[in-house]
Amino acid sequence: MTTNNQSENGLSFPLEDLPKKTNPYLRLNTICPYYTMFPLNFPFDVLKDAKLGDRILDPFCGRGTSNFAARLRGLSSVGLDASPIAWAVALAKFTNISPEEIVALCHRILVSNDEPEHVPEGDFWELCYHPSTLIQICKLRETFLNECDTEAAIALRALTLGILHGPRNKTIDSYLSNQMPRTYASKPNYSVKYWKEHGLLPKKIDLLDVVKRRAYYSLASLPPSVDGGVLKVDSREQIQNYSLGEFDWVITSPPYYNMNTYIPDQWIRNWFLGGEERVEYTSSEQLSHSTTNKFSYELAKVWKNVADVCNPNANLIIRFGSLPSSPYNPSELLQDSLEKAECGWEIKNIKSAGTSANGYRQSEQFKKNLGTATEEIDLHAVLR
Ligand SMILES: C[S@@+](CC[C@H](N)C(=O)[O-])C[C@H]1O[C@@H](n2cnc3c(N)ncnc32)[C@H](O)[C@@H]1O
C-alpha cells in the first residue's frame, strides 16, 4: 500500500478506500468471527478526528476491531480482554506476515512425526471431526500451547480458530467440522442429537488445504504495521500496573447486561487454546451480571482504570445497548456507571446508533434471544 496519499488530518490511509467490504486490506479483520463484534466503520469513523501519534485503548477489545481500525489509520493501539479467544484473535490484527509463511509453518507442524499427546474422545468428537482432521487440529493445538510467539504462529493460530467450526460446503471445504454455526459452537448433546437425526458424518478435511485458502484470502494484502498489542486481562484490575503508556482515545463496547456467554458459546475455540474439552460455564474474569446495579459498579471500575492511563482531554467513546431478553435503558445504565466512576469523564453527548436490526449489533447476533429490536447508543465523554 502506498502511504503518500495523506488525508486532511495527516493520517496516511486514504479514507475513501475503507468502506468497501471487498477491500483486501480489510480481510485480516475477518480472520475469525467473534460474537457481538461491532462494525469496523464505527471505530474507523470515530478515529477520523484523531491526530498522528494519538494512542487508542479498547478495554473490551473482543476480536480487536478498534485495534484494526487504529492500524488502518496508522495509529498505535492496545486491546484488553478477559477472554482467551478474544485475546488470540485480536493479537493477530497486529501481524504482518505473508500467506506463504503461514502455510509453510502449518505444513511443518503437520508433517512432523510427533503425534499429539492427547486427542479427545467420545461421541461428540467422533461426530464433529473426521479422525485424521482431529489429529491435525490436535497437532496444531499442542504446538501452540507449547509456544506461540512468532507472527506466523499468532496468525496461524487465529486463522485456525476461525476455521474450527462452520457450515458444511458441498463444493469447497471452508471449515473443519461437521455441520455447525460459524460464530458459536453448539453444545455437545445438542450437536450429537442433530448430527444423528440428520445422518451427518464428519468429512475427511485436510487442514492444510483450508488454511492455504484462508491464508491467501485473509493475508494477501495487509495495511502497514503499527505499534501495540493485546493483553488477556480483566479490565476491572488496575491496568496501570501493565506500563501501557498514555492514551488519547478509548473506543469500546462492553458486554450488554446479561450477555455472559462469551466462553461457553466459544467452547471449542476455548478448548483449542488450552481450555477443557467440555463447556466451561463460569469465568470469574468476565463482568458479573447478577444485578444491573452490580454491573454498573463493575463498569465504573473499568472507566476509572482507563482514566488512570489517559491523557487530559482524552476521548471515551462507548457503544452500548441491551439484549431484547433483558431490556433496560442503556443510556441510564451507562451514565450511572460513569457517575459511579467519579474520575472526570464528562459526557459530551449521547446519540442513537440505530436499532439492532440496522447492523451487526450485539443483540442481533445473539440469535437465541431475538425479540423486538432494541436501540443502541453511542456515548462520547471527555476526560477533564
Ligand atoms: C461486546 S464484546 C466486544 C466486541 C468488540 N467491540 C469487537 O468488535 O469484537 C465485549 C467483550 O468484553 C469482554 N469482557 C467481559 N468482561 C471483561 C472483563 N472483566 N475484562 C475484560 N474484558 C471483558 C468479553 O470477553 C467480550 O470480548
Side-chain angles (χ1 to χ4, degrees):
M1 191 179 87
T2 56
T3 53
N4 54 1
N5 194 352
Q6 296 279 315
S7 61
E8 267 175 24
N9 55 5
L11 301 179
S12 57
F13 197 83
L15 310 192
E16 61 278 11
D17 278 3
L18 180 78
K20 301 183 201 84
K21 283 204 168 142
T22 49
N23 188 324
Y25 296 133
L26 309 185
R27 292 186 189 158
L28 176 60
N29 199 41
T30 59
I31 196 164
C32 176
Y34 193 71
Y35 233 26
T36 73
M37 56 214 181
F38 51 39
L40 181 60
N41 358 11
F42 169 58
F44 186 80
D45 287 349
V46 166
L47 289 174
K48 72 180 184 312
D49 297 326
K51 298 186 306 298
L52 214 53
D54 279 359
R55 297 185 71 239
I56 323 303
L57 176 67
D58 185 344
F60 299 105
C61 72
R63 66 167 178 166
T65 318
S66 305
N67 304 96
F68 193 71
R71 178 172 176 174
L72 291 169
R73 295 279 189 192
L75 301 171
S76 132
S77 75
V78 170
L80 311 173
D81 203 289
S83 152
I85 301 120
W87 164 76
V89 176
L91 208 50
K93 303 295 162 75
F94 288 86
T95 54
N96 201 351
I97 191 87
S98 70
E100 289 80 8
E101 285 169 277
I102 292 176
V103 174
L105 172 65
C106 188
H107 182 255
R108 272 201 307 280
I109 298 171
L110 295 180
V111 298
S112 79
N113 290 329
D114 306 337
E115 285 307 307
E117 277 174 26
H118 178 72
V119 178
E121 291 174 354
D123 267 9
F124 173 82
W125 297 97
E126 280 164 26
L127 281 169
C128 189
Y129 297 108
H130 186 278
S132 66
T133 312
L134 184 56
I135 288 182
Q136 291 184 312
I137 295 172
C138 290
K139 275 190 165 188
L140 256 66
R141 176 179 184 266
E142 288 182 11
T143 304
F144 295 145
L145 288 182
N146 201 22
E147 191 171 356
C148 188
D149 44 20
T150 64
E151 290 202 50
I154 290 167
L156 176 58
R157 180 176 61 186
L159 197 148
T160 310
L161 285 171
I163 60 175
L164 270 184
H165 50 81
R168 282 155 65 115
N169 196 329
K170 287 205 179 77
T171 47
I172 300 168
D173 297 324
S174 305
Y175 300 98
L176 305 175
S177 69
N178 203 341
Q179 180 70 24
M180 200 179 259
R182 182 178 78 89
T183 44
Y184 69 94
S186 29
K187 303 291 181 299
N189 289 347
Y190 172 87
S191 312
V192 169
K193 189 165 170 272
Y194 179 89
W195 293 324
K196 285 187 175 166
E197 273 174 12
H198 292 80
L200 291 170
L201 292 172
K203 207 171 141 190
K204 180 172 178 179
I205 294 168
D206 182 24
L207 190 149
L208 187 63
D209 257 8
V210 186
V211 162
K212 212 180 277 178
R213 258 196 306 284
R214 227 15 117 75
Y216 279 93
Y217 176 81
S218 300
L219 292 112
S221 179
L222 297 172
S225 302
V226 288
D227 285 342
V230 185
L231 296 179
K232 194 187 99 49
V233 293
D234 180 341
S235 296
R236 292 166 300 181
E237 281 175 21
Q238 295 205 320
I239 52 186
Q240 46 300 31
N241 297 342
Y242 294 99
S243 309
L244 302 175
E246 306 275 296
F247 296 91
D248 308 285
W249 296 82
V250 179
I251 308 175
T252 198
S253 178
Y256 296 177
Y257 176 64
N258 260 344
M259 176 58 203
N260 54 1
T261 55
Y262 284 100
I263 311 284
D265 281 335
Q266 299 291 337
W267 74 272
I268 302 183
R269 294 187 175 120
N270 189 47
W271 161 76
F272 185 76
L273 295 170
E276 302 284 335
E277 58 192 58
R278 56 178 171 76
V279 187
E280 288 179 59
Y281 281 98
T282 48
S283 168
S284 57
E285 292 183 329
Q286 293 278 317
L287 292 189
S288 158
H289 296 261
S290 51
T291 62
T292 45
N293 192 37
K294 172 104 195 294
F295 184 69
S296 174
Y297 270 112
E298 304 224 324
L299 285 178
K301 279 190 206 163
V302 179
W303 310 141
K304 166 88 180 67
N305 281 343
V306 296
D308 287 343
V309 292
C310 274
N311 287 318
N313 297 320
N315 293 284
L316 168 65
I317 317 284
I318 309 170
R319 175 157 290 181
F320 195 53
S322 68
L323 297 177
S325 55
S326 304
Y328 55 90
N329 184 323
S331 173
E332 278 173 15
L333 200 155
L334 212 46
Q335 289 179 77
D336 181 60
S337 69
L338 283 161
E339 264 167 42
K340 284 178 168 133
E342 290 181 339
C343 59
W345 288 117
E346 183 184 298
I347 298 176
K348 301 299 283 181
N349 63 59
I350 300 179
K351 55 183 192 208
S352 168
T355 62
S356 58
N358 286 345
Y360 296 101
R361 306 279 200 258
Q362 291 201 35
S363 45
E364 190 191 19
Q365 288 174 44
F366 199 46
K367 298 275 185 222
K368 288 172 267 180
N369 274 337
L370 262 189
T372 316
T374 54
E375 193 178 37
E376 291 178 318
I377 53 150
D378 290 340
L379 179 147
H380 179 195
V382 173
L383 190 62
R384 299 298 185 206

